[in-house]
Amino acid sequence: MMKASRILITVMLLLGGAISSFAAQRDSTSRKLGDNHLFMPKGAVSVGMQFSYLDIGSGNTTVMLLLKGLDATGTYFGIGPYFGYTFKDNKTIGARLKYSNTTGVIGNARLELPGLDIDLGVDDLNANSSSLMAELFYRSYMGLDNKGRFGLFFDIALQYTNSTSSFGSGPEAGSALTKSNKLRLAARPGLEVFVMNNVSSVFSLGIGGISYTNSKNVRNGEVTGVRNTSNARFMPDITDISMGLAIHF
């Protein structure tokens, strides 16, 4: 969790610094409130690739104080190409695909609740989840300088995600699966910086959205349960912090 917190803080500082830079450059005598620098011109085509990586270890957190001898590790990896077309100055529509994989291992953990006479232990639990997401997005840019090098953006994305998850121990690991289909309306702010005339670096952070999920529990090829859930959640998502590069034509 410490590494995840550092990544989140770094991204927020970058966004905050960009906003401060924008405020410092404003000239009240020549600019009106609401004016926007040109960052992405009409007709521009963007092709990019973004990456996500998160590494969590039990030694980096003090949250689960009731778990004794906790030995757990987890990793998250995501990669996604995207395409965008600017139909109006600073207004872009596009599509993105994203593949992600999450793995976790609990080597040992013991739960003790004093006074309740509860003592539970688990060993060698393995979890794995892989998903493929497709999305259509609308992106609005806000240029931060006259040269069009720095810009903030905000995405509204309609996403469909198909995922498969397994959780188990020993020979039973992998025999029980959860297959899910999720439809989601998501929000994602970000920062884009042109490092060359036609190449930019992109940083983005998911902040939640509204979703509907259909999940099926499958054991040995047979469906043992079905669950439909919907929720609205708006908060920073550490598994949706992405960075990458884009080429513009």
Side-chain angles (χ1 to χ4, degrees):
M1 288 298 294
M2 184 176 294
K3 291 184 178 179
S5 299
R6 289 177 179 174
I7 293 175
L8 178 59
I9 292 172
T10 300
V11 173
M12 297 305 293
L13 288 175
L14 286 171
L15 292 176
I19 294 174
S20 298
S21 176
F22 171 65
Q25 293 180 18
R26 292 186 63 86
D27 181 359
S28 60
T29 62
S30 61
R31 294 177 54 78
K32 298 179 180 179
L33 183 64
D35 283 355
N36 189 3
H37 291 291
L38 176 64
F39 181 78
M40 197 66 64
K42 178 181 179 180
V45 175
S46 306
V47 178
M49 182 75 71
Q50 288 187 271
F51 305 88
S52 303
Y53 181 77
L54 181 65
D55 188 1
I56 301 175
S58 56
N60 295 330
T61 181
T62 57
V63 176
M64 297 184 179
L65 298 178
L66 295 175
L67 293 178
K68 307 297 182 181
L70 177 61
D71 178 19
T73 58
T75 60
Y76 171 86
F77 171 76
I79 182 172
Y82 72 90
F83 167 85
Y85 172 74
T86 305
F87 65 95
K88 183 180 179 181
D89 288 348
N90 287 349
K91 309 294 182 183
T92 299
I93 56 174
R96 182 170 74 139
L97 290 175
K98 182 180 179 181
Y99 169 79
S100 62
N101 180 262
T102 304
T103 59
V105 177
I106 299 178
N108 179 65
R110 183 165 296 278
L111 175 64
E112 297 179 4
L113 297 178
L116 297 180
D117 196 25
I118 295 179
D119 187 353
L120 301 175
V122 294
D123 298 292
D124 299 323
L125 285 177
N126 296 275
N128 184 277
S129 177
S130 60
S131 66
L132 182 63
M133 181 196 74
E135 77 168 30
L136 299 175
F137 66 85
Y138 165 77
R139 175 173 295 181
S140 178
Y141 285 101
M142 182 176 72
L144 301 181
D145 66 322
N146 291 322
K147 295 183 179 180
R149 291 288 182 182
F150 299 87
L152 296 178
F153 64 82
F154 191 85
D155 289 353
I156 298 295
L158 180 62
Q159 304 172 339
Y160 167 74
T161 304
N162 178 268
S163 61
T164 301
S165 305
S166 64
F167 187 82
S169 177
E172 295 295 322
S175 62
L177 303 174
T178 299
K179 297 185 177 182
S180 301
N181 292 285
K182 177 187 288 188
L183 189 63
R184 186 187 190 203
L185 185 63
R188 185 174 58 238
L191 169 68
E192 189 162 350
V193 180
F194 274 90
V195 294
M196 298 176 63
N197 287 337
N198 64 334
V199 178
S200 66
S201 58
V202 184
F203 306 87
S204 65
L205 169 65
I207 57 173
I210 303 171
S211 64
Y212 170 81
T213 306
N214 170 262
S215 301
K216 295 180 180 180
N217 295 324
V218 180
R219 179 176 290 274
N220 298 321
E222 296 184 0
V223 177
T224 58
V226 178
R227 183 183 183 188
N228 296 309
T229 58
S230 59
N231 62 62
R233 181 182 181 185
F234 293 92
M235 62 182 298
D237 183 355
I238 60 175
T239 65
D240 196 13
I241 299 175
S242 300
M243 57 189 66
L245 292 175
I247 300 175
H248 306 270
F249 303 93

